[in-house]
Amino acid sequence: MEWITCALCNSDSSILLKRVSDIKMKTRDAFCLVRCNRCGLVYMNPRPTVSEMQSYYDNTYSPHLAAHANASERLGSDDQYYSGRVRQFLGYLPQGFTTGRLLDVGCGDGYWLYLM
């Protein structure tokens, strides 16, 4: 794991929001979501190094499959996982938030972003 500065403003000052587990691959690892004290960006810190990333994705990780269906054809295939992710994400939004923009960096095949 490597400690990083905020990708948006390069600040090294952040506050821990939550430790979350890997619910898709079901590893025992926990990841820290932090919020930058300067600009408010939420990101994972520390994060896996490039060489560590392969250990988090096995052959069942759908974006790696060559014959992967497009997002609209996948509705229902991972309902439990994605409904949990959407609920988790919505819990981080400010009270009363109704509309806005969403940037998903490292969005895999884009399915979760499609649902949002």
Side-chain angles (χ1 to χ4, degrees):
M1 298 292 250
E2 64 183 349
W3 289 87
I4 60 169
T5 59
C6 175
L8 191 59
C9 72
N10 205 35
S11 172
D12 62 358
S13 177
S14 62
I15 185 168
L16 176 66
L17 294 178
K18 188 170 188 174
R19 287 179 55 86
V20 296
S21 60
D22 184 346
I23 60 177
K24 180 68 172 177
M25 303 310 282
K26 298 182 176 37
T27 65
R28 293 184 178 171
D29 296 332
F31 303 98
C32 296
L33 294 178
V34 299
R35 177 179 292 132
C36 176
N37 287 327
R38 183 184 297 161
C39 71
L41 180 70
V42 176
Y43 60 100
M44 183 170 54
N45 201 21
R47 69 178 182 194
T49 63
V50 172
S51 62
E52 293 171 319
M53 288 302 294
Q54 185 60 39
S55 67
Y56 292 100
Y57 300 101
D58 66 12
N59 295 350
T60 65
Y61 182 61
S62 57
H64 293 175
L65 301 176
H68 187 64
N70 70 42
S72 63
E73 293 169 348
R74 286 189 56 206
L75 286 172
S77 65
D78 289 326
D79 281 346
Q80 185 177 7
Y81 168 69
Y82 282 105
S83 63
R85 287 285 309 267
V86 168
R87 280 194 306 276
Q88 185 180 38
F89 176 78
L90 293 176
Y92 291 115
L93 295 177
Q95 194 76 330
F97 184 88
T98 58
T99 187
R101 299 169 119 185
L102 177 65
L103 172 64
D104 186 2
V105 178
C107 60
D109 64 357
Y111 183 63
W112 182 78
L113 190 58
Y114 171 80
L115 291 177
M116 292 307 291

